[in-house]
Short mmCIF file of all heavy atoms in Angstrom, two decimals:
data_model
loop_
_atom_site.label_atom_id
_atom_site.label_comp_id
_atom_site.label_asym_id
_atom_site.label_seq_id
_atom_site.Cartn_x
_atom_site.Cartn_y
_atom_site.Cartn_z
N GLY A 235 -9.55 23.70 -6.35
CA GLY A 235 -10.94 24.08 -6.11
C GLY A 235 -11.60 23.05 -5.23
O GLY A 235 -11.07 22.70 -4.18
N VAL A 236 -12.75 22.53 -5.68
CA VAL A 236 -13.51 21.57 -4.88
C VAL A 236 -13.81 20.33 -5.71
O VAL A 236 -14.26 20.42 -6.86
CB VAL A 236 -14.84 22.19 -4.40
CG1 VAL A 236 -15.64 21.17 -3.57
CG2 VAL A 236 -14.59 23.45 -3.58
N LEU A 237 -13.57 19.16 -5.12
CA LEU A 237 -14.01 17.88 -5.69
C LEU A 237 -14.99 17.25 -4.71
O LEU A 237 -14.72 17.19 -3.50
CB LEU A 237 -12.83 16.93 -5.92
CG LEU A 237 -11.89 17.23 -7.08
CD1 LEU A 237 -10.82 16.13 -7.17
CD2 LEU A 237 -12.65 17.31 -8.40
N SER A 238 -16.12 16.76 -5.22
CA SER A 238 -17.15 16.16 -4.37
C SER A 238 -17.25 14.66 -4.64
O SER A 238 -17.13 14.21 -5.78
CB SER A 238 -18.51 16.81 -4.63
OG SER A 238 -18.46 18.20 -4.32
N PHE A 239 -17.48 13.89 -3.56
CA PHE A 239 -17.54 12.43 -3.67
C PHE A 239 -18.74 11.89 -2.92
O PHE A 239 -19.10 12.38 -1.85
CB PHE A 239 -16.27 11.80 -3.10
CG PHE A 239 -15.03 12.15 -3.88
CD1 PHE A 239 -14.28 13.27 -3.54
CD2 PHE A 239 -14.62 11.38 -4.95
CE1 PHE A 239 -13.15 13.62 -4.25
CE2 PHE A 239 -13.48 11.71 -5.68
CZ PHE A 239 -12.74 12.83 -5.33
N GLU A 240 -19.34 10.86 -3.49
CA GLU A 240 -20.37 10.07 -2.82
C GLU A 240 -19.82 8.66 -2.70
O GLU A 240 -19.41 8.07 -3.69
CB GLU A 240 -21.66 10.08 -3.63
CG GLU A 240 -22.79 9.30 -2.98
CD GLU A 240 -24.08 9.38 -3.78
OE1 GLU A 240 -24.17 10.23 -4.69
OE2 GLU A 240 -25.00 8.58 -3.49
N ILE A 241 -19.77 8.11 -1.48
CA ILE A 241 -19.12 6.81 -1.26
C ILE A 241 -20.08 5.81 -0.61
O ILE A 241 -21.00 6.21 0.10
CB ILE A 241 -17.85 6.95 -0.40
CG1 ILE A 241 -18.17 7.52 0.98
CG2 ILE A 241 -16.81 7.81 -1.11
CD1 ILE A 241 -17.00 7.53 1.96
N ASP A 242 -19.84 4.52 -0.89
CA ASP A 242 -20.62 3.46 -0.24
C ASP A 242 -19.73 2.45 0.47
O ASP A 242 -20.20 1.43 0.95
CB ASP A 242 -21.54 2.75 -1.25
CG ASP A 242 -20.80 2.28 -2.49
OD1 ASP A 242 -19.55 2.19 -2.45
OD2 ASP A 242 -21.46 2.00 -3.51
N THR A 243 -18.43 2.73 0.52
CA THR A 243 -17.49 2.02 1.37
C THR A 243 -16.39 3.00 1.76
O THR A 243 -16.41 4.16 1.33
CB THR A 243 -16.91 0.77 0.67
OG1 THR A 243 -16.17 0.00 1.62
CG2 THR A 243 -16.02 1.15 -0.51
N PHE A 244 -15.45 2.57 2.60
CA PHE A 244 -14.48 3.52 3.12
C PHE A 244 -13.52 4.02 2.04
O PHE A 244 -13.27 3.36 1.04
CB PHE A 244 -13.69 2.90 4.27
CG PHE A 244 -12.68 1.86 3.85
CD1 PHE A 244 -11.38 2.20 3.49
CD2 PHE A 244 -13.04 0.52 3.81
CE1 PHE A 244 -10.46 1.24 3.10
CE2 PHE A 244 -12.13 -0.45 3.43
CZ PHE A 244 -10.84 -0.10 3.07
N ASN A 245 -12.98 5.22 2.26
CA ASN A 245 -11.90 5.80 1.47
C ASN A 245 -10.75 6.15 2.41
O ASN A 245 -10.98 6.48 3.58
CB ASN A 245 -12.34 7.07 0.76
CG ASN A 245 -13.16 6.83 -0.50
OD1 ASN A 245 -13.16 7.63 -1.41
ND2 ASN A 245 -13.91 5.73 -0.55
N ILE A 246 -9.53 6.08 1.91
CA ILE A 246 -8.36 6.63 2.60
C ILE A 246 -7.76 7.69 1.70
O ILE A 246 -7.52 7.46 0.51
CB ILE A 246 -7.32 5.54 2.91
CG1 ILE A 246 -7.88 4.53 3.91
CG2 ILE A 246 -6.03 6.16 3.46
CD1 ILE A 246 -6.98 3.34 4.19
N LEU A 247 -7.52 8.88 2.25
CA LEU A 247 -6.94 9.99 1.50
C LEU A 247 -5.58 10.34 2.09
O LEU A 247 -5.40 10.37 3.31
CB LEU A 247 -7.84 11.23 1.57
CG LEU A 247 -9.25 11.11 1.02
CD1 LEU A 247 -9.97 12.45 1.15
CD2 LEU A 247 -9.26 10.67 -0.45
N LEU A 248 -4.63 10.65 1.19
CA LEU A 248 -3.29 11.06 1.62
C LEU A 248 -2.79 12.15 0.68
O LEU A 248 -2.45 11.86 -0.47
CB LEU A 248 -2.32 9.88 1.61
CG LEU A 248 -0.85 10.19 1.92
CD1 LEU A 248 -0.70 10.70 3.35
CD2 LEU A 248 0.02 8.95 1.72
N PRO A 249 -2.77 13.42 1.11
CA PRO A 249 -2.21 14.48 0.26
C PRO A 249 -0.69 14.37 0.22
O PRO A 249 -0.03 14.31 1.26
CB PRO A 249 -2.66 15.78 0.95
CG PRO A 249 -2.97 15.40 2.35
CD PRO A 249 -3.35 13.96 2.36
N ILE A 250 -0.14 14.31 -0.98
CA ILE A 250 1.32 14.20 -1.13
C ILE A 250 1.95 15.52 -1.54
O ILE A 250 3.17 15.67 -1.47
CB ILE A 250 1.70 13.09 -2.12
CG1 ILE A 250 1.01 13.29 -3.47
CG2 ILE A 250 1.37 11.72 -1.53
CD1 ILE A 250 1.47 12.33 -4.55
N GLU A 251 1.15 16.46 -1.98
CA GLU A 251 1.62 17.82 -2.28
C GLU A 251 0.57 18.80 -1.81
O GLU A 251 -0.56 18.79 -2.31
CB GLU A 251 1.90 18.01 -3.77
CG GLU A 251 3.14 17.30 -4.28
CD GLU A 251 3.46 17.63 -5.73
OE1 GLU A 251 2.78 18.51 -6.32
OE2 GLU A 251 4.37 16.99 -6.29
#
Side-chain angles (χ1 to χ4, degrees):
V236 180
L237 287 182
S238 298
F239 295 90
E240 181 177 347
I241 61 173
D242 51 18
T243 189
F244 73 89
N245 281 208
I246 294 174
L247 300 181
L248 175 64
I250 55 172
E251 288 186 6

